[in-house]
Amino acid sequence: MKNEVILFWSLYDRSLHTNHNDWKNTRIVLDPLHVLALHSHIKLKNNVTIYTYQDLDKKYIPKDIVVKDASDIFSSEIVYNSLNKGHSIAHVSDAVRLKVASRCKGIVLDMDAVMIRQFPKEESWFCSMPAKLTGGMAPKWKDKHPPLKVHDNSWDGKALASFPVKVGEKTSKYIEALSHKIMRTLIRPPKKSSKAWNYVLWTLKEIIHVDKNAKVYEPIYFCALPAWLNKGNCYSIEYPTRLDGQNKLFGYKLPSIKECFDRAYMVQHFFDSAAHKQGGYGVISEDKNKGSRNFWHELPEQCLLAKEAEYVLGKNWRKIIIKTI
């Protein structure tokens, strides 16, 4: 059976979208990194559905990728009002993807994940991302802040719950309940602190306890790097690379590029929050496409992102990517 992968992509800009209809009818074009990620799913034969509230340009979307209206899951009018009040579209994305995945027993995944190998075959699984193990912000793994529950005791669980997650029969109603809770939060006025949203990942952590047969994976498998930081620290696009298996960050040894390909199911780039700070991965839109061609032209051949592109698209990856700009 093929993996059912649930994605979401819509944009919101208060200065551009002045009413619901204007926002709903906005045509958006995928970034080249999105295109690369989607082709990685095709390479591995995943069934992929992208939910969106807008007019997603399908020109560079592989024909086997399904695009659906997210309004069927969560009202676009409610969502627009929520965004207009100051809520983040990232939380809308969580609500929609979790709801859909709870129905189809699917995989909740982000758009910036480039697949390296097929997802595991377990009926239910969770993944994790590294927590800082050193410094003043390091977690205190005690009774009030226990590590993740690892049912098979294959590792110590000292990490944070994160997406992706594979919904199973035993976890589906809990995942659906989390989706509904997010929707209720979005209807209310936003709180000033982003800490109000911490319950999403904390709830995922608790849901792990529900299915004692679920596999809980260490960070290296699904989030190979502890961080994709700001300018000068975006490890995926630099060469010479710090991904040589020798460097440490937050108490973790960073994997080598070879180890990423040998062990990781995917590489998640977190490009919205990190890489855009240093110019983005070739963003395509009328107000942001300056320099996007140069980014892909100048990307070092031996860096991690270029190696991913070659793995997915072949030796002519650069020409293929640049055609999408």
PDB file of all heavy atoms in Angstrom, residues 227-241:
ATOM      1  N   ALA A 227      19.330  22.138  13.517  1.00  0.00           N
ATOM      2  CA  ALA A 227      18.821  23.481  13.215  1.00  0.00           C
ATOM      3  C   ALA A 227      19.253  23.931  11.836  1.00  0.00           C
ATOM      4  O   ALA A 227      20.331  23.599  11.370  1.00  0.00           O
ATOM      5  CB  ALA A 227      19.310  24.478  14.257  1.00  0.00           C
ATOM      6  N   TRP A 228      18.393  24.709  11.211  1.00  0.00           N
ATOM      7  CA  TRP A 228      18.736  25.448   9.996  1.00  0.00           C
ATOM      8  C   TRP A 228      18.627  26.903  10.413  1.00  0.00           C
ATOM      9  O   TRP A 228      17.531  27.423  10.599  1.00  0.00           O
ATOM     10  CB  TRP A 228      17.754  25.116   8.877  1.00  0.00           C
ATOM     11  CG  TRP A 228      17.784  23.663   8.561  1.00  0.00           C
ATOM     12  CD1 TRP A 228      17.171  22.658   9.234  1.00  0.00           C
ATOM     13  CD2 TRP A 228      18.518  23.035   7.523  1.00  0.00           C
ATOM     14  NE1 TRP A 228      17.462  21.445   8.683  1.00  0.00           N
ATOM     15  CE2 TRP A 228      18.288  21.645   7.621  1.00  0.00           C
ATOM     16  CE3 TRP A 228      19.356  23.506   6.506  1.00  0.00           C
ATOM     17  CZ2 TRP A 228      18.864  20.738   6.751  1.00  0.00           C
ATOM     18  CZ3 TRP A 228      19.916  22.598   5.644  1.00  0.00           C
ATOM     19  CH2 TRP A 228      19.671  21.235   5.766  1.00  0.00           C
ATOM     20  N   LEU A 229      19.762  27.518  10.601  1.00  0.00           N
ATOM     21  CA  LEU A 229      19.778  28.794  11.282  1.00  0.00           C
ATOM     22  C   LEU A 229      19.791  29.957  10.301  1.00  0.00           C
ATOM     23  O   LEU A 229      19.510  29.805   9.114  1.00  0.00           O
ATOM     24  CB  LEU A 229      20.984  28.846  12.225  1.00  0.00           C
ATOM     25  CG  LEU A 229      21.002  27.710  13.261  1.00  0.00           C
ATOM     26  CD1 LEU A 229      22.257  27.784  14.104  1.00  0.00           C
ATOM     27  CD2 LEU A 229      19.775  27.758  14.151  1.00  0.00           C
ATOM     28  N   ASN A 230      20.149  31.134  10.823  1.00  0.00           N
ATOM     29  CA  ASN A 230      20.106  32.332   9.993  1.00  0.00           C
ATOM     30  C   ASN A 230      21.362  32.451   9.135  1.00  0.00           C
ATOM     31  O   ASN A 230      22.138  31.511   9.009  1.00  0.00           O
ATOM     32  CB  ASN A 230      19.904  33.571  10.870  1.00  0.00           C
ATOM     33  CG  ASN A 230      20.970  33.680  11.943  1.00  0.00           C
ATOM     34  OD1 ASN A 230      21.947  32.937  11.954  1.00  0.00           O
ATOM     35  ND2 ASN A 230      20.772  34.595  12.863  1.00  0.00           N
ATOM     36  N   LYS A 231      21.566  33.606   8.567  1.00  0.00           N
ATOM     37  CA  LYS A 231      22.632  33.806   7.586  1.00  0.00           C
ATOM     38  C   LYS A 231      23.981  33.318   8.109  1.00  0.00           C
ATOM     39  O   LYS A 231      24.390  33.636   9.213  1.00  0.00           O
ATOM     40  CB  LYS A 231      22.729  35.282   7.214  1.00  0.00           C
ATOM     41  CG  LYS A 231      23.657  35.554   6.035  1.00  0.00           C
ATOM     42  CD  LYS A 231      23.544  36.989   5.573  1.00  0.00           C
ATOM     43  CE  LYS A 231      24.410  37.206   4.346  1.00  0.00           C
ATOM     44  NZ  LYS A 231      24.292  38.596   3.836  1.00  0.00           N
ATOM     45  N   GLY A 232      24.646  32.525   7.266  1.00  0.00           N
ATOM     46  CA  GLY A 232      25.936  31.989   7.650  1.00  0.00           C
ATOM     47  C   GLY A 232      25.864  30.650   8.344  1.00  0.00           C
ATOM     48  O   GLY A 232      26.885  30.007   8.584  1.00  0.00           O
ATOM     49  N   ASN A 233      24.671  30.198   8.665  1.00  0.00           N
ATOM     50  CA  ASN A 233      24.517  28.936   9.385  1.00  0.00           C
ATOM     51  C   ASN A 233      23.503  28.006   8.730  1.00  0.00           C
ATOM     52  O   ASN A 233      22.912  27.174   9.389  1.00  0.00           O
ATOM     53  CB  ASN A 233      24.097  29.197  10.836  1.00  0.00           C
ATOM     54  CG  ASN A 233      25.210  29.817  11.640  1.00  0.00           C
ATOM     55  OD1 ASN A 233      26.234  29.187  11.883  1.00  0.00           O
ATOM     56  ND2 ASN A 233      25.029  31.056  12.034  1.00  0.00           N
ATOM     57  N   CYS A 234      23.258  28.183   7.455  1.00  0.00           N
ATOM     58  CA  CYS A 234      22.305  27.312   6.766  1.00  0.00           C
ATOM     59  C   CYS A 234      23.103  26.174   6.130  1.00  0.00           C
ATOM     60  O   CYS A 234      23.628  26.281   5.029  1.00  0.00           O
ATOM     61  CB  CYS A 234      21.534  28.111   5.717  1.00  0.00           C
ATOM     62  SG  CYS A 234      19.957  27.372   5.290  1.00  0.00           S
ATOM     63  N   TYR A 235      23.204  25.070   6.857  1.00  0.00           N
ATOM     64  CA  TYR A 235      24.146  24.018   6.512  1.00  0.00           C
ATOM     65  C   TYR A 235      23.850  23.334   5.182  1.00  0.00           C
ATOM     66  O   TYR A 235      24.737  22.734   4.592  1.00  0.00           O
ATOM     67  CB  TYR A 235      24.173  22.971   7.632  1.00  0.00           C
ATOM     68  CG  TYR A 235      24.495  23.542   8.980  1.00  0.00           C
ATOM     69  CD1 TYR A 235      23.617  23.381  10.049  1.00  0.00           C
ATOM     70  CD2 TYR A 235      25.672  24.251   9.193  1.00  0.00           C
ATOM     71  CE1 TYR A 235      23.913  23.908  11.297  1.00  0.00           C
ATOM     72  CE2 TYR A 235      25.971  24.782  10.429  1.00  0.00           C
ATOM     73  CZ  TYR A 235      25.090  24.606  11.480  1.00  0.00           C
ATOM     74  OH  TYR A 235      25.378  25.133  12.706  1.00  0.00           O
ATOM     75  N   SER A 236      22.633  23.406   4.727  1.00  0.00           N
ATOM     76  CA  SER A 236      22.270  22.668   3.518  1.00  0.00           C
ATOM     77  C   SER A 236      22.837  23.271   2.243  1.00  0.00           C
ATOM     78  O   SER A 236      22.914  22.605   1.223  1.00  0.00           O
ATOM     79  CB  SER A 236      20.748  22.583   3.386  1.00  0.00           C
ATOM     80  OG  SER A 236      20.213  23.873   3.207  1.00  0.00           O
ATOM     81  N   ILE A 237      23.209  24.554   2.286  1.00  0.00           N
ATOM     82  CA  ILE A 237      23.579  25.225   1.027  1.00  0.00           C
ATOM     83  C   ILE A 237      25.034  25.675   0.992  1.00  0.00           C
ATOM     84  O   ILE A 237      25.439  26.357   0.053  1.00  0.00           O
ATOM     85  CB  ILE A 237      22.656  26.432   0.755  1.00  0.00           C
ATOM     86  CG1 ILE A 237      22.810  27.490   1.850  1.00  0.00           C
ATOM     87  CG2 ILE A 237      21.216  25.973   0.610  1.00  0.00           C
ATOM     88  CD1 ILE A 237      21.962  28.742   1.591  1.00  0.00           C
ATOM     89  N   GLU A 238      25.820  25.271   1.975  1.00  0.00           N
ATOM     90  CA  GLU A 238      27.212  25.714   2.010  1.00  0.00           C
ATOM     91  C   GLU A 238      28.172  24.606   1.595  1.00  0.00           C
ATOM     92  O   GLU A 238      27.910  23.418   1.804  1.00  0.00           O
ATOM     93  CB  GLU A 238      27.574  26.211   3.412  1.00  0.00           C
ATOM     94  CG  GLU A 238      27.551  25.114   4.454  1.00  0.00           C
ATOM     95  CD  GLU A 238      27.971  25.602   5.839  1.00  0.00           C
ATOM     96  OE1 GLU A 238      28.044  26.821   6.052  1.00  0.00           O
ATOM     97  OE2 GLU A 238      28.218  24.749   6.698  1.00  0.00           O
ATOM     98  N   TYR A 239      29.259  25.013   0.984  1.00  0.00           N
ATOM     99  CA  TYR A 239      30.375  24.099   0.707  1.00  0.00           C
ATOM    100  C   TYR A 239      31.645  24.912   0.592  1.00  0.00           C
ATOM    101  O   TYR A 239      31.633  25.915  -0.135  1.00  0.00           O
ATOM    102  CB  TYR A 239      30.146  23.293  -0.579  1.00  0.00           C
ATOM    103  CG  TYR A 239      31.029  22.072  -0.621  1.00  0.00           C
ATOM    104  CD1 TYR A 239      30.642  20.904   0.043  1.00  0.00           C
ATOM    105  CD2 TYR A 239      32.264  22.104  -1.259  1.00  0.00           C
ATOM    106  CE1 TYR A 239      31.473  19.796   0.052  1.00  0.00           C
ATOM    107  CE2 TYR A 239      33.086  20.992  -1.250  1.00  0.00           C
ATOM    108  CZ  TYR A 239      32.695  19.842  -0.591  1.00  0.00           C
ATOM    109  OH  TYR A 239      33.518  18.735  -0.573  1.00  0.00           O
ATOM    110  N   PRO A 240      32.712  24.583   1.310  1.00  0.00           N
ATOM    111  CA  PRO A 240      32.868  23.402   2.164  1.00  0.00           C
ATOM    112  C   PRO A 240      31.785  23.334   3.244  1.00  0.00           C
ATOM    113  O   PRO A 240      31.299  24.351   3.702  1.00  0.00           O
ATOM    114  CB  PRO A 240      34.244  23.594   2.793  1.00  0.00           C
ATOM    115  CG  PRO A 240      34.973  24.509   1.862  1.00  0.00           C
ATOM    116  CD  PRO A 240      33.920  25.413   1.318  1.00  0.00           C
ATOM    117  N   THR A 241      31.457  22.112   3.621  1.00  0.00           N
ATOM    118  CA  THR A 241      30.318  21.892   4.496  1.00  0.00           C
ATOM    119  C   THR A 241      30.735  21.560   5.919  1.00  0.00           C
ATOM    120  O   THR A 241      31.783  20.948   6.146  1.00  0.00           O
ATOM    121  CB  THR A 241      29.437  20.753   3.946  1.00  0.00           C
ATOM    122  OG1 THR A 241      28.310  20.579   4.794  1.00  0.00           O
ATOM    123  CG2 THR A 241      30.212  19.438   3.864  1.00  0.00           C
TER     124      THR A 241
END
